[in-house]
């Protein structure tokens, strides 16, 4: 969670707004959809329960019509003198018995012919041991097996009641489950039982009363008071006991509920129920909630449509937010360029009121910053130039004294030409030294100064240290700050050859891309440098023989004039000499090409 929040906090303003809008839109869409689905489900359930309640009423009417036929047959059998005689008279001769059976058969045919009960088999058992079956295919067992059954016993115990009971398929029923209606036959005056009437219907035939009202996910279950399923279009559940369905049916009846839900065998079902008091059964209508709602709410279509709407909304939001924040993003992008030292990247003021105010404030800040930087750079340059000018004007008295002493010796020796040449070299060198420090000269002019300086030193100390100049022809007109190479030559003269009096110094100038490369190389003593370092000698620790401008002064001067891409670097090893490289921008006739 913390990592997610950190990632969110690092997003741009546009990203944060868009993420918030995406999350908000999806959340609102989901919540709204869930509420609408819930409302629609409740409306659907109420409407569906009303519709299916009417269906249950139609099924109930079909059962009542069937029960009416059963009751009619039961009453006619109970009122028939022929039936009573057949079930109560004793055993007689064969002819009389045959006549009695014939009359019984004809009477039962007459009773059944008045009603459409073709799927119902009738069996009558008398206390005299006689019995009548109109269709032995329904009961293939013996009469005694029927007389000894629980059905017979329960009917005798409740003689006043027409009872419906479920009889599981067995050998006696040829494997077919039956719903059997039974009624005790009694004498009206004495209430004495003289027989029992059984009317049997096979479960598949019983199922036809409601089969037309079932479909996939819409099932009907006929349940007795013990929770046993006596009939259903779900054939695998016939004969099963279901306490859940019994409780649901009882709750609907007792509380007057329109419907309830139950999880039956892993399926979430909607339960509608009604009581069949004449049968002592419950009609239970099971509707697969998932399947029913799937028909009402095609999930795939809803998801695709919802996703399309959300995507369209997000696209519109993206365009609007991007347009609204465009001016702010441009402002941020332009402001970020300040970190790259681009202090002249002024912002075009536009967009919203807030952006305009920020842009104006930013431009004002750049104005103030540029003024401050310009003033600071100007002050630093003036200060540095003043320092360099002061140093240049502080000609080392020892240099002048030794040079003039050397001239005096030359005059005394009669070498007037060399003395004159030395004086001219000193005059030229002093003229360039006391001139404007910010003035630049050509390489050709700088070479004249260097040669004068070398000539004076060789007059004073001899020609043991040779100085050679290697200048590329195209560099002669290139410009560089005045007296910028003199400190390096001086450093080589007086600090590079302490252990010996002979050697050479090379001054090499060439062009490298868009820069002027000046090198001063000697084969003197060399020195130790830290690995990977080009640390420059500290001019404050080593006395300059000509003036106060040392090697480090030159490096700082170049950085001040041209920036960090230019400057002085040094390579040196003890016993191998020293190489000093000076790099400045290429400039010829006021045209600057910097790399």
């Amino acid at each position: 969670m913390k990592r997610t929040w950190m990632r969110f906090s690092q997003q741009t303003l546009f990203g944060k707004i868009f993420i918030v809008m995406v999350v908000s839109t999806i959340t609102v869409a989901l919540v709204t959809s869930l509420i609408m689905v819930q409302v629609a489900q409740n409306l659907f359930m109420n409407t569906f329960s009303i519709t299916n309640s009417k269906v249950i009423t139609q099924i109930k009417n079909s059962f009542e019509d069937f029960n009416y036929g059963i009751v009619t047959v039961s009453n006619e059998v109970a009122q028939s003198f022929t039936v009573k005689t057949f079930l109560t008279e004793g055993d007689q001769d064969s002819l009389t018995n045959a006549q009695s059976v014939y009359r019984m058969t004809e009477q039962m045919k007459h009773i059944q012919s008045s009603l459409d009960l073709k799927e119902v088999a009738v069996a009558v058992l008398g206390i005299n041991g006689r019995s009548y079956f109109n269709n032995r295919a329904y009961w293939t067992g013996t009469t005694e097996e029927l007389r000894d059954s629980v059905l017979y016993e329960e009917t005798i115990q409740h003689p006043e009641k027409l009872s419906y009971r479920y009889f599981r398929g067995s050998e006696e029923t040829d494997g077919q489950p039956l719903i059997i209606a039974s009624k005790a036959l009694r004498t009206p005056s004495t209430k004495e039982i003289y027989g029992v009437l059984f009317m049997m219907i096979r479960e598949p035939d019983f199922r036809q009363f409601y089969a037309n009202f079932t479909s996939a996910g819409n099932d009907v279950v006929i349940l007795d008071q013990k929770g046993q399923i006596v009939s259903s279009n779900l054939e695998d559940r016939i004969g099963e006991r279901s306490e859940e369905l019994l409780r649901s049916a009882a709750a609907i009846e007792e509380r007057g509920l329109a419907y309830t839900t139950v999880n039956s065998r892993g399926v979430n079902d909607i339960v509608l129920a009604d009581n069949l008091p004449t049968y002592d059964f419950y009609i239970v209508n099971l509707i697969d909630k998932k399947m029913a709602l799937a028909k009402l709410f095609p999930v795939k279509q809803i998801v695709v449509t919802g996703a399309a709407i959300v995507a369209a909304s997000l696209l519109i939001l993206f365009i609007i937010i991007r347009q609204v924040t465009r001016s702010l993003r441009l402002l941020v992008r332009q402001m970020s360029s300040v970190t790259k030292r681009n202090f002249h990247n002024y912002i075009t003021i536009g967009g919203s009121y807030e952006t305009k105010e920020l842009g104006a404030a930013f431009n004002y800040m750049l104005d103030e910053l540029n003024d401050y930087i310009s003033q600071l750079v100007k002050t630093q340059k003036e200060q540095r130039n003043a320092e360099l000018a002061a140093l240049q004007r502080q000609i080392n008295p020892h240099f002048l004294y030794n040079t003039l002493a050397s001239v005096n010796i030359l005059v005394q020796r009669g070498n007037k030409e060399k003395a004159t040449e030395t004086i001219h070299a000193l005059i030229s060198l002093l003229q360039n030294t006391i001139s404007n420090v910010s003035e630049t000269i050509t390489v050709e002019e700088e070479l004249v100064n260097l040669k004068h300086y070398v000539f004076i030193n060789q007059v004073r100390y001899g020609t043991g240290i040779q100085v050679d100049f290697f200048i590329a022809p195209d560099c002669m007109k290139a410009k560089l700050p005045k007296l910028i190479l003199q400190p390096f030559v001086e450093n080589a003269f007086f600090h590079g050859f302490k252990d010996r009096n002979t050697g050479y110094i090379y001054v090499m100038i060439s062009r490298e891309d868009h820069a002027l490369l000046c090198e001063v190389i000697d084969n003197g003593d060399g020195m130790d440098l830290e690995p990977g370092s080009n640390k420059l000698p500290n001019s404050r620790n080593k006395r300059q023989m000509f003036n106060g401008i040392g090697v480090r002064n030159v490096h700082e001067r170049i950085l001040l004039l041209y920036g960090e891409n230019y400057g002085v670097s040094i390579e040196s090893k003890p016993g191998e000499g020293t190489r000093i490289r000076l790099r400045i921008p290429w400039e010829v006739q006021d045209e600057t090409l910097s790399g």
Side-chain angles (χ1 to χ4, degrees), residues 257 267 351 355 402 451 461 468 496 500 560:
L257 302 176
V267 178
T355 306
N402 291 332
K451 289 178 180 180
Y461 302 108
D468 294 320
R500 51 182 173 152
L560 185 63

Side-chain angles (χ1 to χ4, degrees), residues 33-74:
S33 299
L34 290 175
I35 293 174
M36 293 300 295
V37 167
Q38 190 63 40
V39 171
Q41 283 185 1
N42 293 335
L43 180 62
F44 167 76
M45 295 293 290
N46 292 331
T47 305
F48 195 78
S49 64
I50 294 173
T51 303
N52 275 41
S53 294
K54 294 180 180 179
V55 171
I56 290 177
T57 301
Q58 294 182 40
I59 296 173
K60 186 176 180 180
N61 291 337
S62 298
F63 279 122
E64 293 297 340
D65 291 342
F66 176 74
N67 179 68
Y68 175 78
I70 296 296
V71 170
T72 301
V73 171
S74 174

Side-chain angles (χ1 to χ4, degrees), residues 8 11 13-31 306-307 309-319 321-322:
F8 176 77
Q11 294 291 326
L13 177 62
F14 171 75
K16 290 178 181 177
I17 294 175
F18 186 68
I19 290 173
V20 170
M21 293 303 296
V22 168
V23 173
S24 301
T25 301
I26 294 176
T27 302
V28 170
L30 288 176
V31 172
I309 294 173
V310 171
S313 302
L314 292 178
L315 179 61
I316 294 172
L317 285 173
F318 177 82
I319 295 172
I321 295 172
R322 187 175 179 82

Side-chain angles (χ1 to χ4, degrees), residues 99-368:
Q99 290 175 345
S100 179
V101 170
Y102 175 76
R103 287 194 296 271
M104 177 65 176
T105 302
E106 291 299 317
Q107 180 64 29
M108 292 303 298
K109 287 181 179 179
H110 174 72
I111 292 173
Q112 288 181 271
S113 64
S114 61
L115 298 172
D116 186 16
L117 297 175
K118 297 178 182 179
E119 296 84 5
V120 178
V122 178
V124 183
L125 303 183
I127 59 173
N128 60 357
R130 286 184 175 182
S131 63
Y132 166 80
F133 290 87
N134 74 329
N135 191 342
R136 268 290 183 174
Y138 282 70
W139 185 269
T140 58
T142 64
T143 303
E144 293 304 319
E145 287 175 336
L146 181 58
R147 194 183 299 275
D148 294 337
S149 67
V150 176
L151 293 174
Y152 187 89
E153 292 296 329
E154 290 181 351
T155 304
I156 295 298
Q157 291 175 7
H158 304 282
E160 74 286 350
K161 183 179 179 182
L162 175 63
S163 301
Y164 288 87
R165 293 177 180 82
Y166 171 76
F167 195 90
R168 190 181 299 274
S170 62
E171 293 182 1
E172 293 86 352
T173 63
D174 197 23
Q176 292 285 342
L178 302 176
I179 289 85
I180 301 177
S182 61
K183 181 73 169 64
L185 301 176
R186 298 187 299 174
T187 303
S189 57
T190 62
K191 306 298 182 182
E192 182 180 355
I193 298 174
Y194 60 85
V196 176
L197 172 66
F198 295 98
M199 285 168 281
M200 308 174 187
I201 182 170
R202 288 172 175 164
E203 191 280 327
D205 296 327
F206 191 75
R207 194 189 308 162
Q208 296 305 312
F209 294 121
Y210 57 83
N212 293 333
F213 300 101
T214 62
S215 60
N218 185 13
D219 305 304
V220 173
V221 171
I222 308 300
L223 202 67
D224 67 14
Q225 295 297 325
K226 296 179 180 179
Q228 187 174 37
I229 298 175
V230 301
S231 179
S232 176
N233 63 304
L234 302 172
E235 297 183 19
D236 60 324
R237 301 197 65 176
I238 297 173
E240 172 189 319
R241 288 188 180 275
S242 177
E243 296 295 335
E244 295 89 355
L245 292 181
L246 181 61
R247 284 194 296 268
S248 298
I252 290 173
E253 181 183 17
E254 293 171 3
R255 302 177 191 174
L257 302 176
Y259 65 91
T260 185
T261 57
V262 65
N263 192 299
S264 178
R265 301 175 73 178
V267 178
N268 194 16
D269 287 325
I270 303 168
V271 179
L272 293 89
D274 198 358
N275 189 21
L276 284 172
T278 54
Y279 290 81
D280 210 12
F281 289 164
Y282 284 111
I283 303 176
V284 179
N285 186 198
L286 297 177
I287 300 127
D288 189 328
K289 187 176 182 180
K290 182 178 180 181
M291 188 177 296
L293 293 178
K295 294 179 181 178
L296 177 66
F297 303 105
V299 177
K300 184 176 181 180
Q301 183 177 351
I302 291 175
V303 170
V304 171
T305 304
I309 294 173
V310 171
S313 302
L314 292 178
L315 179 61
I316 294 172
L317 285 173
F318 177 82
I319 295 172
I320 293 174
I321 295 172
R322 187 175 179 82
Q323 188 64 29
V324 169
T325 59
R326 180 176 179 274
S327 56
L328 187 59
R329 285 185 287 108
L330 291 175
L331 177 64
V332 171
R333 189 179 299 121
Q334 289 177 313
M335 290 175 68
S336 64
S337 64
V338 174
T339 60
K340 302 174 183 176
R341 301 181 182 179
N342 183 6
F343 300 125
H344 297 282
N345 190 15
Y346 287 91
I347 294 173
T348 303
I349 298 176
S352 62
Y353 170 78
E354 294 82 359
T355 306
K356 290 179 180 178
E357 290 296 310
L358 284 173
F362 181 76
N363 288 342
Y364 177 77
M365 181 193 72
L366 284 184
D367 287 335
E368 293 294 316

